[in-house]
Amino acid sequence: MFFDTFIGPEDHWLPPDNYQEHPVAVIAHRTSPTNMGLALLANLCAYDFGYISAGKLIERTAKALRTMEGLERHQGHFFNWYDTQSLKPLPPLYISSVDSGNLAGHLLTLRPGLLGLADHQILGTRWFEGLSDTLRIAMDAAVAGPEGYAPAGSPNFCRTWSPRFVPNPPRSWLCGSAWINYQRPLR
């Protein structure tokens, strides 16, 4: 959720280093090679768990890599810190072998994930499992009281609702739409 919430055009599709909630909400508009690699893999994981589509994965990855390609470097190596809004390296300028190694490992992991997309169904089982997870959480939250727990005697939607066709996902967008519209809590 961090990467989905805080990565966007205002930071050139790069992840901020952190978000501080207390005492005042502040976003650290700086990033490192490790952060960039983690954000790329977070998108791949979101796809693998069915929370985003292949198209969204490709879009997010392309935007991040396009920005990374334009960052100033030293002999091909990324500096350790960049301002995510100006895209300038932050002083003191140095190269971190740890962060560079982390990014290299992340990119080596990302590559087969992206290459494997060609073999996946447009609406595979994972997408419906991710949708199922999201719907279960939303239904549980709708029943929960203001403190985040369900009042006594309220139905537990997480146990009563079940996706009927996840093992055999629809093969087209039209069938997928029908699947979504057909879902109802089981009694």
Side-chain angles (χ1 to χ4, degrees):
M1 191 126 163
F2 174 85
F3 295 107
D4 197 42
T5 301
F6 294 110
I7 295 177
E10 58 279 351
D11 285 294
H12 298 92
W13 309 103
L14 297 176
D17 185 57
N18 62 72
Y19 171 70
Q20 173 185 301
E21 291 183 353
H22 184 74
V24 178
V26 178
I27 298 172
H29 294 285
R30 65 179 176 272
T31 198
S32 68
T34 294
N35 293 346
M36 291 184 269
L38 283 174
L40 292 168
L41 287 187
N43 291 326
L44 182 61
C45 289
Y47 169 76
D48 283 345
F49 283 114
Y51 299 129
I52 64 172
S53 66
K56 183 60 75 176
L57 167 62
I58 292 167
E59 176 188 358
R60 290 177 177 184
T61 302
K63 287 177 177 178
L65 291 176
R66 193 172 306 117
T67 298
M68 290 168 66
E69 185 177 40
L71 293 175
E72 182 181 339
R73 296 184 229 174
H74 176 73
Q75 296 180 356
H77 296 277
F78 287 102
F79 289 104
N80 203 58
W81 293 104
Y82 292 90
D83 182 301
T84 57
Q85 295 180 321
S86 71
L87 300 180
K88 299 290 182 199
L90 294 172
L93 301 182
Y94 66 97
I95 309 299
S96 166
S97 59
V98 171
D99 280 88
S100 296
N102 288 341
L103 177 59
H106 296 146
L107 292 172
L108 287 171
T109 304
L110 179 67
R111 185 177 190 272
L114 294 176
L115 291 174
L117 291 176
D119 297 327
H120 294 177
Q121 297 173 350
I122 291 173
L123 286 178
T125 302
R126 288 181 253 196
W127 189 84
F128 288 92
E129 290 169 347
L131 179 61
S132 173
D133 291 344
T134 302
L135 289 174
R136 286 178 188 176
I137 292 167
M139 286 190 275
D140 284 347
V143 175
E147 285 79 36
Y149 58 88
S154 65
N156 183 340
F157 284 107
C158 196
R159 291 191 182 130
T160 60
W161 186 84
S162 173
R164 295 181 178 106
F165 301 115
V166 169
N168 299 304
R171 303 284 182 201
S172 71
W173 287 106
L174 181 60
C175 291
S177 175
W179 179 89
I180 291 167
N181 290 329
Y182 183 70
Q183 297 306 300
R184 301 285 182 260
L186 299 176
R187 300 277 176 214

